[in-house]
Each structure stands twice: as C-alpha cells, then as structure tokens.
Amino acid sequence: MNGQTQLIIAACCSFIASLLHVAIVFGGPGWYRFFGAGEQMAKMAEMGSKQPMITTLIIATILAVWGLYALSAAGVIVRLPLLKIALVLITLVYLVRGLAGLILPFVTSHPAITQNSVTFWMVSSVICTSFGLFYLLGTLNHWSELS
C-alpha cells in the first residue's frame, strides 16, 4: 500500500469520525453516554444546553478539516497551507490520544478518565491509534511528494 492510499484511508477515517460526531448531536443524551462523552455532557444535553452540541460540532469540524488535509496530501484536492506541519500535528494528536488512552485508565483515578469504562478507553484508543498510524505511514511514505 502506497502513501497516497494510506492518506486517503486516513481521510476516510477522519470523515467517518466527523460524521459520527454529527450523528451524536442528533442522537441526543443516550448517544453522548454510549460514545463516551461523559455523564456531564449527557446531562447538559438532557437539560437543553447548547454546550454539548457546540463542543461536539467543533470536534466534528476539526476532524473534517483533518480529513481534508489528508486528501490534500494525497493529491486528491488542492494543496492546503502548512500541509507538512498539519500532517505531523494531526498524526501526533491521534497517536498521543490513542497511546495515552491505552495507559491512563490503569495508572490514574482522575474523574476525566474514570467516568468511562476501561472498555471504552481500549476501543477508542485502538481506533485513534489506527487512525494515527494511517496518517503516520501515509505521511512518511508520501513525504517527498509533499515538497
């Protein structure tokens, strides 16, 4: 699999994650709970607060932009500004989130971690790490074409 293909897969992963976040807004409090946003976010959604929706839509937008950067790097769309820097940062965010989530549930009792199950942390962290690996491999394998 070449870097271009890996970047297209990375883009698809980010777009799917973005669409899932939009779906969570429409799914309501139960979806916030199921997908691990935390009880506080679910309760705020139940009370009609706009904060969970705004926060979730901001995350969805960021994930969609990340998908666009991967498509840009793959040459599918126009070259976006700061492409190499963006790819490195996106990769780092996915990998740090993924790897931290595999460790933190076992070494801390902080409420931000314990509000979700170990299963949530393991599943979401494997997903984030997988996304990060597609960005990493795609970026490394396609680096020379990004100049």
Side-chain angles (χ1 to χ4, degrees), residues 26-94:
F26 290 103
W31 283 47
Y32 281 99
R33 283 186 185 93
F34 179 79
F35 286 101
E39 189 58 27
Q40 182 179 0
M41 287 280 277
K43 285 183 179 179
M44 286 191 297
E46 284 175 338
M47 295 186 312
S49 171
K50 299 290 184 206
Q51 184 177 344
M53 177 187 69
I54 292 167
T55 301
T56 307
L57 291 177
I58 288 170
I59 293 168
T61 301
I62 291 168
L63 292 168
V65 169
W66 290 1
L68 292 174
Y69 267 90
L71 288 182
S72 177
V76 175
I77 63 171
V78 299
R79 185 177 175 89
L80 295 176
L82 304 171
L83 185 58
K84 284 183 170 183
I85 293 169
L87 288 172
V88 169
L89 293 175
I90 292 164
T91 301
L92 283 173
V93 170
Y94 273 130

